Amino acid sequence: MNAAAERDVASWEPDDDRWYGEAGGSATFTGRRVTPDIALQFSAFYAGTHLLAKTLASLPLRMYRKDPATGKSYEAPEHPLNDLLEYQPNRWQTAWDFRAMLMMHLVMRGNAYAEIISGPRGFADRLEPIHPDRVTVDRLPDQTLRYTVSEENGRSRRLLQDEVLHLRTAFAPGLVGIGPIAHARQTVGLALATEEHGARLFSNGARPSGVITVPKGWSDEAFKRFKEDWRRTYNGLSNAGGTPILEDGAEFKAISLTAEDAQFLATRQHQIEEVCRWLDVPPVLVHHVTKTTSWGSGVEAIMLAFVRNNLKPWLDCWTQAIRRDLILAPRLYEARFDIEDLIRGDSKAQAEFFSRLVLNGVLTRNEARVALGYNPLPGLDEPLQPNTGATSDKLPGNGGGEPNSAALLGHNGGPPLEEADAPATQEEEPDE
């Protein structure tokens, strides 16, 4: 079957289950419907997904060329994909917008898609994001994938594997990934239910409930009038603290059941930690600071743990999908995120780190200046030699060195070797 025939697809109804699957969400045991978009109404879920999305979107993503002879990698700004990935993937999005959107799709729904459109820069001139809820995937007889995309007009079209950049989560038992909401609906539903409970509690005046007793029965008309007057006068935040006036010997008896007694606050805190587990993000980074002592003594330890344990798997997911779907010569080129800004320590740690690298000849002084954001200076491009502090052009044998420099002295710090090897002379003793 040729490509033209593969794209000729009959119209499907916009509400066909094949498009949306579980996107509409299902009710939880609390009675709350939970979808990826509804889950964002819970602050911890919103903060966790946005933490991952904005952090990944902020990292530079560049193309590198690998030298087969040495195995070293060098930046390749001339590669057509570099401008696409680092600056602008399409006409209406910046690279930050594009990566943040696809990362949100990936975290929330388990998949992220972008159509690869050819143009002046080659087969990948533009990357246009596609909402995951409008994509279904199936496998062709040649083991490649085919993507069916729903259009806004109710029709659909098909794209072949070499026309789509597809990111999927690690938990992908089939052709597509599965987002955390598919498994975490009960957790998020309980979190939303407790939040709604708190809102309703305060909307009623944040007071304990109670009962009103009367010494004799009221008529229906009197009861209706009393109930309407009570709600109008004493219910709600604006009426909180009012003094009720009862008639006909009626008496109000409060029931001392508070939100704390019902473990309301403890439940809300527990749900924040549960959501952080589902999203695999540290609670302290979503501003849940009740247990920060388990995260070391400072921000540096927190960020290192976050980058190594939580963020790096997502970075590998991106770079390997780019290698599979976008790079035509993967043995020569690769895409790589620059995480240097995330793992840097404080100013004191940076000073010690670069000082050791420069003094041991690993970096030149200008390379260290550039890494710290300073402009290079003339004469600082030669690496220092370990244990001497001299550059290579100042060492013996290279035509350099001062006559009395330490580099020209013997190993024991005595006189120069040519003087040490000369025979010693003794002064004649005067005649008596």
Side-chain angles (χ1 to χ4, degrees):
M1 187 179 295
N2 56 34
E6 291 291 338
R7 299 172 194 274
D8 188 12
V9 186
S11 175
W12 289 356
E13 294 298 327
D15 58 351
D16 194 300
D17 289 341
R18 287 175 288 185
W19 292 131
Y20 303 101
E22 294 286 344
S26 59
T28 63
F29 295 139
T30 62
R32 292 297 303 266
R33 174 183 289 185
V34 176
T35 68
D37 294 321
I38 291 177
L40 290 177
Q41 297 176 11
F42 185 50
S43 62
F45 192 89
Y46 179 93
T49 54
H50 276 250
L51 171 68
L52 294 171
K54 67 186 180 183
T55 303
L56 184 139
S58 301
L59 297 176
L61 176 58
R62 303 188 180 102
M63 292 297 299
Y64 288 80
R65 177 178 55 84
K66 295 180 287 187
D67 187 348
T70 62
K72 297 181 179 179
S73 297
Y74 305 91
E75 289 189 20
E78 73 284 354
H79 196 284
L81 288 177
N82 192 78
D83 185 69
L84 198 70
L85 298 176
E86 188 174 5
Y87 299 109
Q88 191 166 5
N90 52 57
R91 296 191 181 102
W92 61 282
Q93 285 182 307
T94 64
W96 195 99
D97 300 331
F98 177 80
R99 293 203 297 267
M101 176 184 287
L102 262 65
M103 190 61 187
M104 285 291 291
H105 289 169
L106 183 60
V107 175
M108 294 170 57
R109 289 170 166 84
N111 296 274
Y113 304 96
E115 182 178 357
I116 304 171
I117 301 176
S118 61
R121 289 183 289 190
F123 90 100
D125 183 67
R126 285 185 293 144
L127 296 175
E128 294 287 347
I130 308 172
H131 199 284
D133 291 350
R134 308 190 72 86
V135 180
T136 58
V137 185
D138 60 296
R139 194 192 302 273
L140 298 177
D142 62 357
Q143 301 304 307
T144 60
L145 302 183
R146 179 178 59 186
Y147 300 85
T148 307
V149 183
S150 171
E151 299 290 354
E152 294 181 358
N153 58 10
R155 295 187 61 84
S156 61
R157 61 193 179 97
R158 284 178 176 167
L159 300 173
L160 301 180
Q161 182 171 330
D162 58 1
E163 297 175 296
V164 177
L165 169 64
H166 183 187
L167 306 169
R168 60 174 67 87
T169 60
F171 304 101
L175 304 178
V176 296
I178 299 177
I181 294 300
H183 302 290
R185 279 198 175 94
Q186 302 299 335
T187 299
V188 178
L190 178 57
L192 294 174
T194 55
E195 190 172 66
E196 181 180 354
H197 168 71
R200 291 185 181 277
L201 181 69
F202 280 94
S203 70
N204 289 326
R207 295 184 313 193
S209 60
V211 295
I212 297 176
T213 60
V214 293
K216 62 180 180 178
W218 283 345
S219 66
D220 293 341
E221 183 179 352
F223 175 74
K224 182 179 179 181
R225 179 176 58 83
F226 174 81
K227 184 172 65 172
E228 291 177 354
D229 181 67
W230 181 274
R231 289 179 176 175
R232 182 176 60 255
T233 307
Y234 305 113
N235 274 16
L237 290 176
S238 60
N239 298 322
T243 302
I245 300 176
L246 305 178
E247 55 184 323
D248 293 337
E251 182 181 358
F252 177 81
K253 296 181 179 180
I255 300 175
S256 57
L257 178 63
T258 65
E260 288 78 10
D261 293 334
Q263 297 184 343
F264 168 70
L265 296 178
T267 300
R268 293 207 66 191
Q269 291 183 357
H270 176 70
Q271 292 311 108
I272 293 175
E273 297 173 7
E274 285 286 280
V275 167
C276 289
R277 291 189 188 100
W278 283 111
L279 295 177
D280 193 25
V281 297
V284 66
L285 293 185
V286 298
H287 310 291
H288 185 64
V289 294
T290 59
K291 297 181 180 179
T292 54
T293 54
S294 62
W295 274 94
S297 57
V299 176
E300 183 179 359
I302 295 174
M303 289 307 302
L304 285 176
F306 171 65
V307 172
R308 293 171 181 173
N309 302 332
N310 310 108
L311 188 62
K312 187 179 182 301
W314 292 113
L315 303 182
D316 292 342
C317 172
W318 273 77
T319 55
Q320 292 184 23
I322 291 172
R323 181 184 188 276
R324 180 196 62 213
D325 297 334
L326 293 177
I327 300 178
L328 299 178
R331 294 187 178 182
L332 295 178
Y333 293 95
E334 65 179 352
R336 189 188 305 170
F337 285 94
D338 185 357
I339 63 173
E340 184 63 30
D341 288 341
L342 293 182
I343 61 177
R344 282 182 177 177
D346 55 25
S347 57
K348 179 180 179 181
Q350 287 188 55
E352 294 177 354
F353 173 73
F354 284 106
S355 176
R356 291 183 179 183
L357 292 182
V358 169
L359 291 177
N360 286 298
V362 179
L363 293 179
T364 67
R365 285 165 289 180
N366 269 339
E367 288 173 336
R369 290 180 62 85
V370 170
L372 291 171
Y374 298 102
N375 293 327
L377 296 177
L380 302 182
D381 291 321
E382 284 290 330
L384 300 179
Q385 298 300 313
N387 303 325
T388 65
T391 57
S392 59
D393 58 345
K394 296 295 183 181
L395 293 178
N398 292 340
E402 299 295 333
N404 296 325
S405 67
L408 296 180
L409 299 180
H411 67 280
N412 59 356
L417 295 178
E418 58 270 17
E419 296 182 12
D421 293 338
T425 57
Q426 296 181 353
E427 295 181 0
E428 295 182 358
E429 296 180 359
D431 294 338
E432 295 181 356

